[in-house]
Each structure stands twice: as structure tokens, then as C-alpha cells.
Amino acid sequence: HVRLCGGRDAVRLPSTRPWPGREVVEPAVAELGDPLTEALNHPAGKLAEAALARLRKHQPEMGAGLPGPVRQYFEAIGEDPDGQLGRVMLAMRLHYLFAVDPDWATEHMIARLDPARSQEAASLWSAYGWSPSVGPDLLRAFKGPFLEILRTEAPEYRKLGNLRSLFMAVCLEAPDELTDPEIRGVVDGLPEKGLKTVIQSLKGRLTGEAPERARVWQEKVHPWLREYWPQAAVRNTAETSDAILELLAECGEAFAQAVEWSLEYLRPHERRSLNRLNENGHAEQYPEAMLCVLDRVVDAEVLLVYERPHLREILDALVGMNPDRNGDPRFQRLYRIATQ
């Protein structure tokens, strides 16, 4: 048996991440029940951490393979039937290991990512999902099982939100790496929670000043939504509608255009996003678009009482810009709800 001694390696990976998922700072202790928690305190996991530390000290050339002095440790982890928790630790650094030695990573790690062939798949994907990143070669190596597990709702697959965010990063940053059928296959199979992650990932792209947000909406976010967002009414729920409202709030000067896309998919819901909808003064700048949104999402039978003051604030802003809106039947309905 190969054993190494040493504490946890605190060195971050080299910054060579072409398409990172949502960045997560690696915790000292993982979530309760997560396979990573067990791996952190298991001899196989500690061996894997020590092996990674030794590997970095050798500063291996990318693609040159595992250096001889450390290869025996990785072989021990990769080949031992009882080495699963060591492989869990290595899965967190899969992008790095694949860059160093794609053949070793393919044989010992990627071969175990297929849930149809490996009982380790869920734990390895969960570890990889802590801070996932992928390049074109790694994506091609594990694309089949990767796209499959994005659609799962199985509780043993943790950190799926991060993996779905990684999928969106590939869609937007390297669109030629996935075919239209592959993208549609994932989106069509996503549960409600997954669709919300899609919208949240797109919202994260909308940063900077209002003109920059509008540019990103027009060049990246809207084209993707127009092409791939599910049309079926059953897929567009109050929860996805709430996420879409948060997206609209971040669209800057493209607010009216984003509203035009969204109206087909918005649904009445109880709470959360009305107060954010006007944070950037959209009611004053785009009153007709704002009124259209409110008319779609506000229902007297659904909206919670404590959300009505937020509705009243937006309506007051609308009528403050144009008193004639008092005569609009949509405005009148909404005002009655806001003042009940």
C-alpha cells in the first residue's frame, strides 16, 4: 500500500479555466452527507490530497503525463477497488489532471463518470461540481454522461446547480462545442430547478452599466433564450416566472426588449421579485413595458398581502410620469389590488 503524509494542500489551481462554472471557494468541511465530507477524513482522500501536492511541486508540463516520482501514488488511487474516496478528491481537480495526463484521467476518472457503467458516478460528479471547469478536450471526453446527469433530479447528485451553470458557460462562450440537439436535449429534460439555474446563469452575464447590459442581452442572452427556452406552457411556472422577473431587472437599456420576449412566459406568482423589478428606475424609463409585466404577473388571488406595497410603489411611479395612466383599465385593476 502506498501512503503519503502531509497536511491539506492549500495551493489554488493554475488559472487556465476557459469555461468555469460558478466559482465556489472550496470549504474546509464540505456539506453534511456529501461524499467529499467523508473523503476529507478518509486515508484514501488524504493520500489523494498529498499526491496532488507532490504533483504541483513537480510543476508538470501540460500534456506530458504524470511525472514518474508521483505516478505510483495516482496509480494506487486509480486502480484500487477501495480507492473511491481518493478518486472523489481527485475529481475536484479533474480539469487539471486531464490537462497533465489525459490518458490517465480518461482511464481512471472519466471512465467512472458514466452512471450506466459506474456506481461511483454520482459521488465523482458531486465532487467535480464543487468548482467545475472544462476545456474543449475534456468536454469531448465526458460530454455524454455530463449532458445526461444535468437532467437528473436524483438527490445523490450534489452541486448540480454548478454543473448546469458550467453547461450555460459552454453554451455562451463556446457555442460550437455543443450541437443544437444536444442543447435542446438538456433544456427539454431540465426540472424546474434546473430552468431557474439557466435564467440565473444568464442574469449573471448582465453586469456593468446600462448600455453594456443591453449589449450583452442583445448579443448573447436574448439569442440563446429565443432559440432554446422551452415553449410549452407546463414548463413555464410561477417559479421560472419569478426568475425571469429578476433577469428583467438586470437588463439595463434592453428592459423593454426583454419584456417583449418574456410576456409569453410570465405567470402570476406570490412574492419576491416585484420589489427588485423597479430598482433601476424602469417604471419611469419604460412605463408601458413595466405595465405589461405587472399585468401578466399580478393576480389578486395569488399576490401576497405584504407584496402589495411594492406594487403600489411601482404604480405610483408610473402615474407620476404620466397621470393619464389612471384611465388605463390595466392600471385600474392593478391599483385596486395594491390598495386592498
Side-chain angles (χ1 to χ4, degrees):
H1 295 284
V2 178
R3 293 185 180 274
L4 290 177
C5 298
R8 293 200 63 199
D9 174 24
V11 180
R12 299 290 293 175
L13 286 179
S15 181
T16 57
R17 301 178 175 184
W19 314 315
R22 181 171 64 88
E23 281 297 322
V24 179
V25 177
E26 182 185 338
V29 178
E31 296 175 346
L32 184 64
D34 191 286
L36 185 56
T37 306
E38 189 177 354
L40 285 167
N41 299 298
H42 191 277
K46 293 178 180 179
L47 170 63
E49 283 192 297
L52 285 166
R54 287 284 185 90
L55 175 61
R56 290 199 188 96
K57 288 179 180 178
H58 281 275
Q59 298 181 332
E61 181 182 348
M62 297 298 101
L66 292 168
V70 300
R71 175 172 286 275
Q72 60 178 320
Y73 306 119
F74 286 93
E75 294 289 356
I77 298 166
E79 295 176 359
D80 190 340
D82 298 323
Q84 177 176 345
L85 292 175
R87 292 187 285 272
V88 165
M89 294 301 299
L90 296 184
M92 294 183 65
R93 302 292 183 251
L94 180 58
H95 178 253
Y96 175 59
L97 289 173
F98 186 85
V100 171
D101 195 330
D103 291 336
W104 185 91
T106 298
E107 178 182 356
H108 296 289
M109 300 297 296
I110 294 173
R112 292 182 164 97
L113 292 176
D114 186 348
R117 301 193 305 167
S118 171
Q119 295 181 346
E120 297 183 23
S123 61
L124 295 180
W125 280 117
S126 297
Y128 175 69
W130 270 99
S131 186
S133 58
V134 67
D137 292 338
L138 177 57
L139 177 65
R140 295 181 193 116
F142 69 29
K143 184 164 66 172
F146 175 61
L147 298 182
E148 178 183 343
I149 62 100
L150 295 175
R151 302 188 291 262
T152 187
E153 292 187 88
E156 62 267 27
Y157 284 86
R158 296 168 177 268
K159 297 299 173 185
L160 279 172
N162 288 4
L163 295 176
R164 289 163 178 159
S165 294
L166 180 63
F167 164 74
M168 290 304 299
V170 175
C171 285
L172 296 174
E173 301 302 326
D176 293 339
E177 294 298 328
L178 298 174
T179 66
D180 283 351
E182 286 171 340
I183 297 173
R184 292 183 198 283
V186 171
V187 176
D188 289 348
L190 285 177
E192 180 184 66
K193 188 175 182 180
L195 290 177
K196 290 179 65 178
T197 298
V198 165
I199 294 294
Q200 290 160 0
S201 296
L202 293 170
K203 183 184 75 171
R205 299 276 164 168
L206 299 169
T207 59
E209 299 299 320
E212 174 62 15
R213 293 173 185 238
R215 184 191 67 79
V216 175
W217 166 266
Q218 293 160 358
E219 294 181 3
K220 288 197 172 185
V221 176
H222 184 218
W224 194 92
L225 287 169
R226 185 181 59 222
E227 190 69 24
Y228 300 113
W229 186 254
Q231 306 289 311
V234 70
R235 306 296 311 286
N236 290 278
T237 65
E239 291 295 318
T240 60
S241 178
D242 193 67
I244 289 172
L245 282 187
E246 293 191 6
L247 174 69
L248 297 180
E250 303 299 329
C251 285
E253 292 179 357
F255 179 77
Q257 301 168 34
V259 167
E260 184 178 359
W261 168 81
S262 73
L263 292 177
E264 181 180 353
Y265 309 111
L266 293 176
R267 302 289 183 266
H269 60 91
E270 346 179 281
R271 62 187 187 278
R272 291 194 292 275
S273 294
L274 286 185
N275 63 326
R276 298 194 57 190
L277 193 58
N278 196 39
E279 284 181 349
N280 297 315
H282 290 138
E284 291 88 350
Q285 297 178 64
Y286 311 101
E288 178 59 27
M290 180 65 75
L291 190 57
C292 288
V293 170
L294 295 176
D295 193 46
R296 289 290 293 170
V297 302
V298 173
D299 186 303
E301 300 299 320
V302 176
L303 189 68
L304 295 177
V305 172
Y306 63 77
E307 287 294 317
R308 295 181 185 189
H310 299 308
L311 174 60
R312 173 70 181 270
E313 290 175 11
I314 299 175
L315 294 175
D316 286 345
L318 289 174
V319 79
M321 296 299 296
N322 183 1
D324 291 341
R325 291 200 181 276
N326 274 313
D328 190 312
R330 297 172 299 173
F331 183 91
Q332 294 172 354
R333 180 185 74 85
L334 293 166
Y335 197 81
R336 286 194 298 271
I337 295 171
T339 55
Q340 284 177 353

